[in-house]
Amino acid sequence: MKDPYAAAYVAGAVGTGALGLLVTVRNASLGHPPPYAARHIARQVLSRLFRRRMSRHEASRWAFALRAGYGPLLGMGWGLVRRRTSKWTLLHSGVLLGLGVLAFERAAFPVFKATALANTWSRAEHVWLFAQTAVFGVVTEATMRWLVKEETPAS
């Protein structure tokens, strides 16, 4: 793909898709969706925004829409800064992206009152948040590497 920003958008969407597959495993492992599940965030934030309590069905639909926008936008942001890490190994570069997403979410959740306070989460919920952001990062970076081939100068 010639346009690195289009590639970054697609890579973020693919990373989001991979995360969607992991959610089923995460929820089964925890026995419930964690406080940072997209539908919980959608319900919390959008219920305040719309000034009415959202139903679970509405929250699930909004969660899909939020993920569909959020992941590709994260991919585009990564596309702007990844030039410095594109020579790193896939794992190092991808985990760095995942850690960036983790830091952003950990800072944003309390600001937007999107989740219960992090000190009320179980250890497993914290571990799964790290795991899912790492998976997003590695899959997004792997997709970027597949879509954008670095041009080597002709000798």
Side-chain angles (χ1 to χ4, degrees), residues 94 97-99 101-102 105 128-138:
L97 169 57
L99 288 172
V101 172
L102 177 66
E105 290 183 350
W128 273 108
L129 182 58
F130 171 79
Q132 71 184 49
T133 57
V135 165
F136 172 83
V138 170

Side-chain angles (χ1 to χ4, degrees), residues 46-57:
L46 295 175
S47 288
R48 276 196 316 281
L49 182 67
F50 297 147
R51 296 179 187 213
R52 67 175 180 79
R53 184 79 172 152
M54 274 193 168
S55 72
R56 286 181 181 226
H57 181 69

Side-chain angles (χ1 to χ4, degrees), residues 11 16 28 33-34 37 40 51 54 63 68-69 81 84 86 92-93 102 110 127 134-136 143 147:
T16 301
H40 291 317
R51 296 179 187 213
M54 274 193 168
V81 300
R84 296 196 182 264
S86 63
H92 287 106
S93 188
L102 177 66
V127 168
V135 165
F136 172 83
T143 305
L147 291 173

Side-chain angles (χ1 to χ4, degrees), residues 6-7 40 42 45 48 50 55 58 76 87 90 110 121 134 140 149:
H40 291 317
V45 174
R48 276 196 316 281
F50 297 147
S55 72
E58 286 176 304
M76 289 187 73
K87 302 293 184 219
L90 169 62
W121 302 355
T140 299
K149 303 294 183 217

Side-chain angles (χ1 to χ4, degrees), residues 70-88:
Y70 180 63
L73 287 175
L74 288 173
M76 289 187 73
W78 180 242
L80 293 171
V81 300
R82 77 177 282 274
R83 291 193 203 318
R84 296 196 182 264
T85 67
S86 63
K87 302 293 184 219
W88 294 7

Side-chain angles (χ1 to χ4, degrees), residues 13 15 33 44 49 52 59 62 71 91 98-99 102 104 107 124 132 146 151:
Q44 283 289 99
L49 182 67
R52 67 175 180 79
W62 275 101
L91 188 61
L99 288 172
L102 177 66
F104 171 74
Q132 71 184 49
W146 183 68
E151 303 224 358

